[in-house]
Tab-separated table of all heavy atoms in Angstrom:
chain	number	residue	atom	x	y	z
C	148	LYS	N	36.552	44.626	-19.184
C	148	LYS	CA	37.283	45.319	-20.267
C	148	LYS	C	38.776	44.827	-20.291
C	148	LYS	O	39.380	44.768	-19.278
C	148	LYS	CB	37.264	46.822	-20.040
C	148	LYS	CG	36.064	47.424	-20.683
C	148	LYS	CD	36.212	48.926	-20.876
C	148	LYS	CE	34.881	49.588	-21.073
C	148	LYS	NZ	34.466	50.429	-19.948
C	149	GLY	N	39.208	44.528	-21.469
C	149	GLY	CA	40.577	44.106	-21.600
C	149	GLY	C	40.772	42.709	-21.090
C	149	GLY	O	41.964	42.218	-20.977
C	150	GLY	N	39.712	41.989	-20.725
C	150	GLY	CA	39.813	40.623	-20.259
C	150	GLY	C	40.504	39.802	-21.328
C	150	GLY	O	40.384	40.074	-22.496
C	151	ALA	N	41.151	38.758	-20.825
C	151	ALA	CA	42.032	38.010	-21.742
C	151	ALA	C	41.275	37.089	-22.733
C	151	ALA	O	41.842	36.666	-23.669
C	151	ALA	CB	42.992	37.188	-20.908
C	152	VAL	N	39.949	36.818	-22.486
C	152	VAL	CA	39.299	35.870	-23.359
C	152	VAL	C	38.350	36.653	-24.307
C	152	VAL	O	37.430	37.325	-23.865
C	152	VAL	CB	38.473	34.890	-22.549
C	152	VAL	CG1	37.718	33.902	-23.514
C	152	VAL	CG2	39.355	34.121	-21.595
C	153	ALA	N	38.597	36.493	-25.578
C	153	ALA	CA	37.796	37.184	-26.627
C	153	ALA	C	36.342	36.650	-26.527
C	153	ALA	O	36.154	35.427	-26.365
C	153	ALA	CB	38.355	36.955	-27.985
C	154	GLY	N	35.342	37.545	-26.604
C	154	GLY	CA	33.979	37.121	-26.603
C	154	GLY	C	33.384	36.765	-25.259
C	154	GLY	O	32.257	36.321	-25.151
C	155	ALA	N	34.199	36.922	-24.183
C	155	ALA	CA	33.659	36.558	-22.846
C	155	ALA	C	32.519	37.519	-22.505
C	155	ALA	O	32.544	38.723	-22.869
C	155	ALA	CB	34.778	36.640	-21.776
C	156	LEU	N	31.517	37.006	-21.815
C	156	LEU	CA	30.340	37.775	-21.488
C	156	LEU	C	30.392	38.214	-20.021
C	156	LEU	O	30.994	37.529	-19.191
C	156	LEU	CB	29.027	36.967	-21.691
C	156	LEU	CG	28.902	36.421	-23.130
C	156	LEU	CD1	27.744	35.388	-23.157
C	156	LEU	CD2	28.581	37.573	-24.104
C	157	SER	N	29.719	39.348	-19.684
C	157	SER	CA	29.676	39.776	-18.318
C	157	SER	C	28.349	39.307	-17.670
C	157	SER	O	27.272	39.492	-18.239
C	157	SER	CB	29.763	41.309	-18.241
C	157	SER	OG	28.884	41.830	-17.213
C	158	SER	N	28.455	38.635	-16.474
C	158	SER	CA	27.235	38.152	-15.822
C	158	SER	C	26.329	39.313	-15.493
C	158	SER	O	25.107	39.178	-15.510
C	158	SER	CB	27.639	37.345	-14.577
C	158	SER	OG	28.223	38.187	-13.608
C	159	GLU	N	26.893	40.432	-15.111
C	159	GLU	CA	26.052	41.575	-14.701
C	159	GLU	C	25.230	42.050	-15.898
C	159	GLU	O	24.028	42.380	-15.707
C	159	GLU	CB	26.906	42.757	-14.180
C	159	GLU	CG	27.531	42.437	-12.772
C	159	GLU	CD	26.484	42.216	-11.692
C	159	GLU	OE1	25.414	42.879	-11.710
C	159	GLU	OE2	26.671	41.322	-10.836
C	160	THR	N	25.812	42.095	-17.031
C	160	THR	CA	25.044	42.481	-18.251
C	160	THR	C	23.945	41.487	-18.541
C	160	THR	O	22.794	41.853	-18.835
C	160	THR	CB	26.002	42.622	-19.466
C	160	THR	OG1	27.033	43.521	-19.095
C	160	THR	CG2	25.269	43.138	-20.684
C	161	LEU	N	24.269	40.165	-18.426
C	161	LEU	CA	23.267	39.135	-18.652
C	161	LEU	C	22.085	39.321	-17.704
C	161	LEU	O	20.909	39.213	-18.087
C	161	LEU	CB	23.849	37.719	-18.539
C	161	LEU	CG	24.871	37.315	-19.621
C	161	LEU	CD1	25.372	35.928	-19.313
C	161	LEU	CD2	24.213	37.382	-21.009
C	162	ILE	N	22.432	39.598	-16.439
C	162	ILE	CA	21.379	39.733	-15.429
C	162	ILE	C	20.518	40.991	-15.728
C	162	ILE	O	19.286	40.921	-15.670
C	162	ILE	CB	22.022	39.811	-14.033
C	162	ILE	CG1	22.526	38.416	-13.644
C	162	ILE	CG2	21.040	40.290	-12.996
C	162	ILE	CD1	23.400	38.351	-12.393
C	163	GLU	N	21.194	42.088	-16.109
C	163	GLU	CA	20.434	43.303	-16.443
C	163	GLU	C	19.501	43.155	-17.625
C	163	GLU	O	18.436	43.732	-17.700
C	163	GLU	CB	21.440	44.492	-16.761
C	163	GLU	CG	21.921	45.241	-15.550
C	163	GLU	CD	23.154	46.039	-15.907
C	163	GLU	OE1	23.278	46.515	-17.046
C	163	GLU	OE2	24.025	46.130	-15.010
Side-chain angles (χ1 to χ4, degrees):
K148 272 199 199 111
V152 181
L156 303 168
S157 143
S158 65
E159 288 299 321
T160 305
L161 290 179
I162 288 169
E163 271 163 36

